[in-house]
Amino acid sequence: MVQPGGGMPDMQAILQQAQQMQQQLVDAQEELARTEVTGSAGGGLVTAVVTGGMELKSLTIDPKVVDPEDTETLSDLIVAAVRDATKNAQKITEEKLGPVAGALGGGMPDLGNLGLPGLG
């Protein structure tokens, strides 16, 4: 039973708070999409730049590592550099979105299930 004058949550305040949290999440996502993170492999012979949104922006390969006889090593270095950049991007994503996502009651893996616009 709900007693008169007490115990009822203010739905307007709850909705306003949810909208503010949603806007914080959208703002954080937009900032992450603009943030670029670098990863490297082979002591810097291969460098990858990835956005916080996990988009590969650039890949730099030092000519010293290009050997037509050994393309496998080059492939491995490229994969390692992209993985490093992606790992670094995931870390900043968790740091940036973690508190907002936690406030919304979800963790990072559940962000897409919140039904918020732009969260695929």
Side-chain angles (χ1 to χ4, degrees), residues 4 6 10 12 19 31-32 36 44 49-53 58 61 64 66 70 80 89 94 98 107 109 111 120:
D10 181 355
Q12 187 66 24
Q19 288 174 333
E31 181 180 335
L32 283 168
E36 293 186 354
V49 176
V50 176
T51 67
S58 69
I61 302 169
K64 290 185 278 189
V66 180
D70 185 15
E94 289 170 7
L111 285 177

Side-chain angles (χ1 to χ4, degrees), residues 18-34:
Q19 288 174 333
Q20 288 172 348
M21 290 168 41
Q22 180 178 352
Q23 187 59 49
Q24 288 174 344
L25 186 58
V26 169
D27 292 345
Q29 285 181 305
E30 289 172 356
E31 181 180 335
L32 283 168
R34 293 186 304 267

Side-chain angles (χ1 to χ4, degrees), residues 4-92:
M8 275 307 263
D10 181 355
M11 288 305 290
Q12 187 66 24
I14 291 171
L15 288 174
Q16 186 176 9
Q17 184 178 10
Q19 288 174 333
Q20 288 172 348
M21 290 168 41
Q22 180 178 352
Q23 187 59 49
Q24 288 174 344
L25 186 58
V26 169
D27 292 345
Q29 285 181 305
E30 289 172 356
E31 181 180 335
L32 283 168
R34 293 186 304 267
T35 302
E36 293 186 354
V37 181
T38 302
S40 65
L45 293 173
V46 177
T47 304
V49 176
V50 176
T51 67
M54 306 303 164
E55 177 186 356
L56 179 63
K57 296 296 278 186
S58 69
L59 186 66
T60 306
I61 302 169
D62 188 310
K64 290 185 278 189
V65 77
V66 180
D67 178 0
E69 302 288 320
D70 185 15
T71 57
E72 187 175 327
T73 296
L74 178 58
S75 294
D76 290 344
L77 289 172
I78 292 169
V79 169
V82 172
R83 280 186 184 154
D84 187 44
T86 302
K87 179 185 72 171
N88 293 337
Q90 285 173 334
K91 187 187 308 181
I92 66 160

